[in-house]
Amino acid sequence: MKIIEERFAVHKDDYKHYDTDKLRKHFLIEKIFAADEVLFTYTHYERIMVGGVMPVNATVPLEPVYQQKADHFLERRELGAINVGGKGAITVDGERFELNTKEALYIGRGAKEVIFSSDNPDQPAKFYMNSAPAHHAYPHKKVGMSDAKVLELGSSETCNERRINQLLINGVVDTCQLQMGMTELQPGSIWNTMPVHTHSRRMEAYFYFNIPEEQAVCHFMGPAEETRHIWVGNEQAIVSPPWSMHSGVGTANYTFIWGMAGENLDYTDMDFHKPHTLK
């Protein structure tokens, strides 16, 4: 069994004393994809796992890791995968699901064999993944962009005009606690999730991608009265504790995938903080 990177939970009082290096160490995941490997970070926020797989020269199986102490990866877990690369497929216990770019797959608890593949090694699939503990085995389900619940929010005047594609979310897919979706910012818009919010009932992870070369996103986190920031590059992720608000502003428009785990499946359950109240 492979031992992977592990992140322990941070108390907000301790976080106040972190410098840049320590913030990045605890909350930034710098590497999501490597050729023909499964990369995961095991966190102690709802025990969510954040990672990715990019099959290039071979198919790649999903294998259990040391922290799970399980015979197979999904023995006690559910998993969501969203393809952000070229066309590929995920085969679950012999059933093949083909995924184009921006299509998602939910895999329920109990699946024993999961194999990732790409159609073209020159344009490999990139499956970004979140996994959380599961108490029930729900059916596997593919969700395309046409199946998603879509919210059009923001405006060009406030630089946050965006399309929220709710993919693996309550009402579209039955899950135990995992929810995932994709937010696409329109040209000229650079702010996501504004006004900012917290939801102490669940944690969240952000995966930023489609960031143009030589551009970056500044991710804001922390209690509304004690904010910090982390600069994030293309195809990197942030782990957001349940006590932290979360928002980002880019030097160009970009796309990000949000994933949540916790006891509440109500997407609208948010405690908002107006911009003029932030410190």
Side-chain angles (χ1 to χ4, degrees), residues 1 62-65 68-77 93 108-114:
M1 291 184 183
L62 181 65
E63 298 176 337
V65 301
Q68 294 177 297
K69 296 294 181 71
D71 291 333
H72 50 274
F73 189 95
L74 293 171
E75 184 174 319
R76 299 181 296 270
R77 285 183 163 268
D93 291 337
R109 171 179 169 166
K112 293 183 178 180
E113 185 182 62
V114 179

Side-chain angles (χ1 to χ4, degrees), residues 123-195:
Q123 296 179 314
K126 294 179 178 180
F127 301 104
Y128 172 70
M129 299 181 290
N130 288 172
S131 174
H135 62 272
H136 182 79
Y138 285 110
H140 317 319
K141 185 176 181 179
K142 174 183 171 179
V143 179
M145 295 290 275
S146 61
D147 305 309
K149 284 186 177 179
V150 177
L151 301 176
E152 302 281 356
L153 296 179
S155 68
S156 57
E157 288 78 12
T158 50
C159 301
N160 67 345
E161 188 176 3
R162 61 200 190 275
R163 177 188 177 98
I164 300 176
N165 305 284
Q166 299 178 341
L167 294 163
L168 307 182
I169 193 169
N170 189 34
V172 176
V173 179
D174 290 327
T175 72
C176 293
Q177 62 168 320
L178 185 64
Q179 297 185 89
M180 296 178 72
M182 180 186 304
T183 299
E184 301 171 290
L185 275 73
Q186 300 302 315
S189 286
I190 52 176
W191 281 100
N192 70 66
T193 318
M194 186 58 67

Side-chain angles (χ1 to χ4, degrees), residues 1-8 38-50 63-77 131-133:
M1 291 184 183
K2 182 179 179 182
I3 297 176
I4 61 173
E5 186 178 357
E6 195 166 2
R7 301 285 178 91
F8 290 91
V38 176
L39 301 183
F40 263 118
T41 297
Y42 185 103
T43 87
H44 288 263
Y45 299 106
E46 307 293 349
R47 297 194 180 272
I48 196 171
M49 295 174 67
V50 178
E63 298 176 337
V65 301
Y66 174 81
Q67 287 87 344
Q68 294 177 297
K69 296 294 181 71
D71 291 333
H72 50 274
F73 189 95
L74 293 171
E75 184 174 319
R76 299 181 296 270
R77 285 183 163 268
S131 174

